[in-house]
Amino acid sequence: MKKAVGIDIGGTYIKAGLVDEKGNIIKKEQFPTLAEKGSRDIVLSQIEKSIEFAYEEDIEGIGIGTPGVVDDEGIVYEAPNLPEWHNLNLKKIFEEKFKKRVIVENDVNTIAWGEYLFGAGKGSKTMICITLGTGLGGGIVKDGKLLRGGKYSAVEIGHIPIDYKGPKCKCGNYGCIERFVGRDYIVERAIKGIQEGVKTKILDLVNGDLNKITPKIISDAYNLGDEFAKNIWIDVGICLGAMFSGLVNLLNPDIIVIGGGIAQAGKILFDTIEKTIKERSMKILTQNLKIVPAGLGVDSGIVSAGALIFQK
Ligand SMILES: [Zn+2]
């Protein structure tokens, strides 16, 4: 069976594994990224260490998922949370070191490819995949190929504007979807409501400490029958549904895969997204559309990075 090394670079940990062509992990380990040391070379040596851990002589190659925009030559242009991570040719650095094929891809594009090859999107024709957490990332697979831009990784779904008069986003635009459904913004809605005097179980769950509110707490409150928490999830679902309706009209996907920590909000979120998409997209384009949770578990970053090497 063919094997590949999968490396998932995160702000806190680098996850490494040896993955086979069916998506099984043969071995895995995580290494601290050491981004806080502020040195690119330290992070690079951590990545090298992680590759060495998973490396075997007969691998097909090394797949690397990294934050940031990546071009078709494997250069990472900008990665938030990683020091001096500008114009960095990761592909060249590690091809020279290990003398194996290296594929570098944006981390969420990587997850989308993994979900298509081994996860919830298996067998689909046109798949949109998002991960919903601190930010909103996305990737698209069309006709068995990961969709990329002209030269750059692109598919920055989180920065699709849904309100041209909306609040400023960190990317410089206004009213991006991420500005409404990213982790901190969901929490912000809860805090705002509470400060305006709304009665909610959220306040009891954090013993009155607003700094302790998380999306998980809002979900817990919803599960206790809290109306305010329910409305937060409905609003987040409508924002996402509105954004997806544009993508559905653009691409006519047969499946939308939703992963990331905030997807744990579950049925209320998924139902609202589906209802909104069906109300707002062109009807014929939603006929065969399925909306499902991501299928790869906690190791999806490793499996998906390895999967990059098994692209046709
Ligand atoms: Zn933005």
Side-chain angles (χ1 to χ4, degrees):
M1 183 126 31
K2 289 180 178 165
K3 288 176 289 187
V5 168
I7 303 292
D8 173 25
I9 305 174
T12 314
Y13 288 105
I14 297 160
K15 296 180 180 174
L18 183 64
V19 180
D20 73 20
E21 61 184 325
K22 293 225 152 71
N24 302 305
I25 295 182
I26 299 158
K27 59 176 171 177
K28 62 169 183 173
E29 188 58 79
Q30 63 179 32
F31 300 81
T33 309
L34 303 182
E36 70 281 5
K37 304 257 186 208
S39 153
R40 178 163 107 171
D41 290 341
I42 291 176
V43 175
L44 285 174
S45 92
Q46 289 300 96
I47 297 172
E48 189 179 334
K49 232 185 261 179
S50 73
I51 296 173
E52 275 164 2
F53 159 81
Y55 187 90
E56 285 183 2
E57 203 41 60
D58 62 345
I59 56 166
E60 302 292 309
I62 300 162
I64 302 178
T66 172
V69 173
V70 183
D71 79 359
D72 50 13
E73 291 170 45
I75 300 173
V76 187
Y77 279 86
E78 194 82 24
N81 309 322
L82 293 174
E84 308 164 279
W85 218 248
H86 316 290
N87 300 338
L88 182 62
N89 198 331
L90 274 189
K91 180 178 162 77
K92 192 160 164 250
I93 291 170
F94 292 110
E95 271 184 348
E96 281 172 4
K97 230 158 230 160
F98 290 93
K99 313 282 178 226
K100 294 280 180 191
R101 190 158 76 105
V102 174
I103 297 179
V104 182
E105 184 53 85
N106 165 271
D107 51 3
V108 191
N109 279 5
T110 301
I111 296 287
W113 178 253
E115 284 292 337
Y116 170 77
L117 202 63
F118 299 130
K122 212 171 170 175
S124 64
K125 194 164 183 309
T126 301
M127 179 198 79
I128 300 172
C129 173
I130 66 163
T131 62
L132 198 51
T134 311
L136 192 167
I140 292 167
V141 176
K142 186 148 180 38
D143 300 323
K145 283 213 160 110
L146 186 62
L147 189 72
R148 302 187 93 255
K151 178 162 179 65
Y152 302 99
S153 47
V155 196
E156 297 286 346
I157 289 177
H159 299 286
I160 294 176
I162 58 166
D163 178 2
Y164 77 101
K165 288 180 178 170
K168 190 156 191 183
C169 178
K170 63 180 195 292
C171 75
N173 202 345
Y174 293 85
C176 294
I177 176 72
E178 182 175 284
R179 189 62 186 72
F180 296 90
V181 303
R183 182 195 180 282
D184 291 350
Y185 306 116
I186 294 176
V187 170
E188 197 175 75
R189 282 165 205 251
I191 293 175
K192 191 159 169 277
I194 290 166
Q195 284 170 340
E196 285 167 359
V198 171
K199 292 238 173 314
T200 166
K201 292 195 170 69
I202 293 172
L203 210 47
D204 307 333
L205 290 171
V206 295
N207 294 317
D209 183 353
L210 299 187
N211 292 321
K212 288 193 177 144
I213 298 175
T214 61
K216 168 83 169 61
I217 295 280
I218 301 170
S219 276
D220 291 347
Y222 163 69
N223 288 325
L224 293 170
D226 188 82
E227 211 41 41
F228 174 64
K230 180 181 176 185
N231 286 331
I232 291 178
W233 289 123
I234 288 178
D235 196 51
V236 168
I238 291 174
C239 287
L240 285 163
M243 184 271 300
F244 276 127
S245 68
L247 287 176
V248 166
N249 290 345
L250 182 72
L251 290 163
N252 179 216
D254 47 323
I255 193 162
I256 291 175
V257 176
I258 303 176
I262 288 166
Q264 305 295 324
K267 191 169 161 33
I268 176 83
L269 183 63
F270 279 73
D271 285 355
T272 311
I273 292 171
E274 181 161 3
K275 183 167 174 277
T276 310
I277 292 175
K278 296 220 157 131
E279 280 168 2
R280 297 190 181 202
S281 313
M282 294 179 70
K283 235 167 215 69
I284 191 138
L285 301 181
T286 65
Q287 263 179 358
N288 300 312
L289 176 64
K290 281 186 296 196
I291 299 157
V292 300
L296 301 175
V298 288
D299 294 320
S300 74
I302 297 174
V303 175
S304 300
L308 290 173
I309 297 296
F310 304 123
Q311 289 178 87
K312 294 261 151 41

